[in-house]
């Protein structure tokens, strides 16, 4: 592997940039803390002794548990999840592009469990929403009065013939999503590739996607790393997407901005091309058109973005959508506004598992977790949910090391910028600084119910 870029040196701002950033930082943190306080407005703590089960201990599950602990101090709250390591997934792209060390995205899950809750360290094996219970992998049956589903999603690498997640980092294979170790291995593959240059093949599947900006960030950063190494002139970067012509992102103004930037960088785009197979030893990727026509492409570096769906435990349960656009992925059937289940009124969803038009980012959880806790507390009190989620999603879209665009939008694809000093479609050091320095502390605040 070639020498790793020194992040401090590569991203060191000018004195003017630093002063401007430090002056703006309090405003940025204030915007990140714009979610309601732990106790919803006008809502007193309840004396209810309701039994609440939360399936999953990622950002969404723990954030809702922290909020509910304040709103319902007498309730019995149980988190069910065997996961021992808590991963800061928004940082994976920084690890995978050589900006952060792997330690920045790894913590112990026990550090974030709210006081006064029970943590059952097993996975949910099945849901019985009609019987108001879950069964764990260890055979425990846990009854509940209310359920919050926060299981996250399933990375469906199995849809790609020949793909082996254990091979990430070898023979030019990268995939940022799978784990911190895979993100680091992706950087090792990218680092080796940029030293010599060659053919980079970047991919994007169809369907709902966790952090839909990540494939774009990885593409920008491959080009930037080649530029830094002086090998861009002897390289090609091609982006293959299963989406229709001229589409790489679901918000049109952002999509068009990215495509214009890629044109200037010489990045080629190929549409209606879904990755269906790989030959890892021969370094060949196979793409299929909607008509089934296959194209084989040689690569020196390949970034695989797998199709994504609900975990089997949700997909195969009565909680999943049975018809409509969310049924194919088995997503949790929630009302997109209240995030309450459409058929089981004592069930709510938070995070990636939700079958909503948008919203599979940490920023989505930051805004929706307080809403879920508030609406659930109202249901516990015999009231109806009265807060509505607007689909808020945020993506600090890295365009090169030291510069990013802060993209914020709602269900309708309308840009919803929250910081007056940042223009969403203009790259800036401030947007990079937020991604690099400010967002993880805000993330931890969300876990603790403070943000």
């Amino acid at each position: 592997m070639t020498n790793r870029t020194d992040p401090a040196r590569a991203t060191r701002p000018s004195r003017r940039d630093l002063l401007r950033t430090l002056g703006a930082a309090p405003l940025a943190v204030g915007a990140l803390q714009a979610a309601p306080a732990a106790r919803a407005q006008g809502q007193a703590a309840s004396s209810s002794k309701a039994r609440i089960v939360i399936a999953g201990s990622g950002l969404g599950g723990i954030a809702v548990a922290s909020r509910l602990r304040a709103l319902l101090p007498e309730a019995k709250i149980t988190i069910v999840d065997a996961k021992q390591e808590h991963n800061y997934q928004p940082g994976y792209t920084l690890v995978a592009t050589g900006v952060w060390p792997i330690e920045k995205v790894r913590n112990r899950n026990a550090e974030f469990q709210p006081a006064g809750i029970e943590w059952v360290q097993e996975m949910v094996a099945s849901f019985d929403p009609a019987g108001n219970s879950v069964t764990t992998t260890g055979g425990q049956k846990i009854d509940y009065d209310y359920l919050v589903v926060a299981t996250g999603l399933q990375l469906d690498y199995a849809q790609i013939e020949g793909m082996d997640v254990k091979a990430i980092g070898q023979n030019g294979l990268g995939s940022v999503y799978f784990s911190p170790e895979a993100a680091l291995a992706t950087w090792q593959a990218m680092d080796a590739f940029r030293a010599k240059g060659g053919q980079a093949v970047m991919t994007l599947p169809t369907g709902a996607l966790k952090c839909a900006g990540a494939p774009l960030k990885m593409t920008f950063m491959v080009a930037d790393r080649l530029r830094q190494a002086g090998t861009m002139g002897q390289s090609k970067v091609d982006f293959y997407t299963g989406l229709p012509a001229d589409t790489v992102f679901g918000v049109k103004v952002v999509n068009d901005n990215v495509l214009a930037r890629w044109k200037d960088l010489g990045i080629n785009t190929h549409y209606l091309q879904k990755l269906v197979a790989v030959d890892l030893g021969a370094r060949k990727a196979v793409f299929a058109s909607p008509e089934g026509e296959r194209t084989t492409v040689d690569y020196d570096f390949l970034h695989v973005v797998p199709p994504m769906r609900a975990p089997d435990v949700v997909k195969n349960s009565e909680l999943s959508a049975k018809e409509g656009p969310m049924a194919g992925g088995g997503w949790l059937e929630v009302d997109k506004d209240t995030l309450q289940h459409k058929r089981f009124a004592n069930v709510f969803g938070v995070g990636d598992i939700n079958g909503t038009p948008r919203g599979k980012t940490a920023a989505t959880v930051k805004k929706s977790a307080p809403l879920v806790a508030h609406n659930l507390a109202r249901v516990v009190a015999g009231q109806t949910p009265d807060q509505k989620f607007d689909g808020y999603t945020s993506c600090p879209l890295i365009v090169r090391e030291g510069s990013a665009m802060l993209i914020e939008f709602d269900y309708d694809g309308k840009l919803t910028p929250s910081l007056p000093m940042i223009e969403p479609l203009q790259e800036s050091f401030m947007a990079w600084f937020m991604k690099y320095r400010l967002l993880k502390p805000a993330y931890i605040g969300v876990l603790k119910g403070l943000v």
Side-chain angles (χ1 to χ4, degrees):
M1 188 178 86
T2 59
N3 290 333
R4 171 179 168 144
T5 297
D6 176 1
R9 179 175 298 176
T11 63
R12 185 174 294 140
S14 68
R15 184 172 182 272
R16 178 181 299 176
D17 282 339
L18 185 58
L19 290 173
R20 182 170 62 247
T21 297
L22 292 176
L27 182 58
V29 173
L32 290 168
Q33 295 178 342
R39 183 169 297 170
Q41 286 185 344
Q43 187 173 17
S46 168
S47 61
S48 171
K49 298 184 184 297
R51 299 167 300 172
I52 302 172
V53 167
I54 299 174
S57 63
L59 177 62
I62 293 179
V64 169
S66 296
R67 296 272 175 169
L68 289 175
R69 182 76 288 157
L71 290 170
L72 304 170
E74 300 299 319
K76 179 183 178 182
I77 301 173
T78 303
I79 290 179
V80 183
D81 195 340
K83 180 171 61 182
Q84 297 298 309
E85 183 171 288
H86 190 98
N87 299 133
Y88 176 62
Q89 295 183 41
Y92 282 10
T93 51
L94 296 176
V95 174
T97 54
V99 178
W100 270 10
I102 190 173
E103 293 77 15
K104 293 274 286 184
V105 298
R106 302 177 72 178
N107 294 91
R108 292 177 58 250
N109 214 16
E111 296 175 26
F112 302 123
Q113 299 296 318
I117 63 99
E118 180 184 7
W119 178 19
V120 175
Q121 297 179 41
E122 301 177 24
M123 301 302 291
V124 173
S126 64
F127 292 98
D128 179 10
N132 294 324
S133 70
V134 301
T135 301
T136 71
T137 50
Q140 292 190 61
K141 180 183 177 183
I142 304 175
D143 296 321
Y144 62 78
D145 300 307
Y146 303 92
L147 172 68
V148 178
V149 182
T151 58
L153 52 68
Q154 176 71 38
L155 302 172
D156 202 359
Y157 285 99
Q159 287 195 37
I160 304 169
E161 180 184 347
M163 179 60 190
D164 180 3
V165 294
K166 295 179 181 178
I168 295 172
Q170 304 171 27
N171 288 322
L173 177 65
S175 185
V176 70
Y177 283 95
F178 186 67
S179 67
E181 293 77 15
L184 179 59
T186 296
W187 163 240
Q188 292 166 347
M190 185 190 296
D191 193 25
F193 164 70
R194 69 163 177 165
K196 297 180 179 179
Q199 175 69 65
V201 173
M202 316 300 288
T203 68
L204 178 67
T206 56
L209 201 66
K210 173 200 292 282
C211 188
L216 312 186
K217 299 175 196 180
M218 294 298 293
T219 303
F220 275 116
M221 284 299 290
V222 163
D224 194 48
R225 291 305 192 196
L226 289 167
R227 178 190 61 80
Q228 291 174 345
T231 52
M232 186 64 175
Q234 60 218 52
S235 302
K236 283 187 62 183
V237 180
D238 287 77
F239 189 89
Y240 287 79
T241 171
L243 300 175
D246 299 323
T247 306
V248 296
F249 197 74
V251 178
K252 182 171 172 50
V253 290
V254 179
N255 176 82
D256 294 349
N257 183 292
V258 168
L259 289 179
R261 290 173 182 273
W262 283 0
K263 184 177 180 180
D264 290 342
L265 291 170
I267 296 172
N268 308 298
T269 50
H270 309 264
Y271 304 100
L272 295 173
Q273 294 291 312
K274 180 182 177 181
L275 180 66
V276 294
V278 290
D279 183 334
L280 301 179
R283 298 196 184 194
K284 295 181 182 293
V286 180
F287 296 89
S289 70
E291 296 75 29
E293 182 180 351
R294 293 197 167 201
T295 303
T296 299
V297 178
D298 295 326
Y299 65 84
D300 297 295
F301 176 77
L302 171 68
H303 184 248
V304 173
V305 180
M308 301 181 193
R309 60 173 176 83
D312 288 339
V313 67
V314 174
K315 191 175 191 292
N316 298 331
S317 77
E318 284 302 309
L319 294 172
S320 64
K322 304 305 178 187
E323 57 184 18
M326 300 299 165
W331 304 106
L332 190 71
E333 189 178 22
V334 295
D335 180 274
K336 71 179 182 65
D337 299 319
T338 64
L339 304 183
Q340 182 182 33
H341 199 279
K342 291 183 177 180
R343 290 176 284 115
F344 299 97
N346 63 336
V347 177
F348 285 80
V350 65
D352 295 348
I353 188 59
N354 280 345
T356 51
R358 301 186 194 273
K360 299 192 188 304
T361 67
T364 300
V365 173
K366 188 268 289 186
K367 188 166 184 180
S368 62
L371 179 147
V372 168
H374 170 92
N375 283 346
L376 190 155
R378 283 185 59 86
V379 172
V380 170
Q383 302 170 325
T384 58
D386 66 349
Q387 288 189 359
K388 293 185 176 182
F389 183 51
D390 63 1
Y392 176 80
T393 304
S394 175
C395 176
L397 187 56
I398 300 168
V399 297
R400 58 184 173 85
E401 191 168 21
S403 191
M405 297 186 291
L406 181 59
I407 309 297
E408 302 167 279
F409 51 93
D410 60 16
Y411 276 142
D412 297 326
K414 178 183 176 182
L415 295 181
T416 57
S418 61
L419 301 176
M421 73 291 225
I422 296 182
E423 291 292 332
L425 298 179
Q426 293 180 11
E427 62 178 280
S428 68
F429 172 76
M430 180 62 207
W432 166 267
F433 185 81
M434 287 185 65
K435 173 71 173 176
Y436 183 65
R437 290 287 190 193
L438 300 180
L439 294 188
K440 186 176 181 182
Y443 176 100
I444 293 173
V446 174
L447 284 169
K448 295 180 178 181
L450 302 175
V451 176

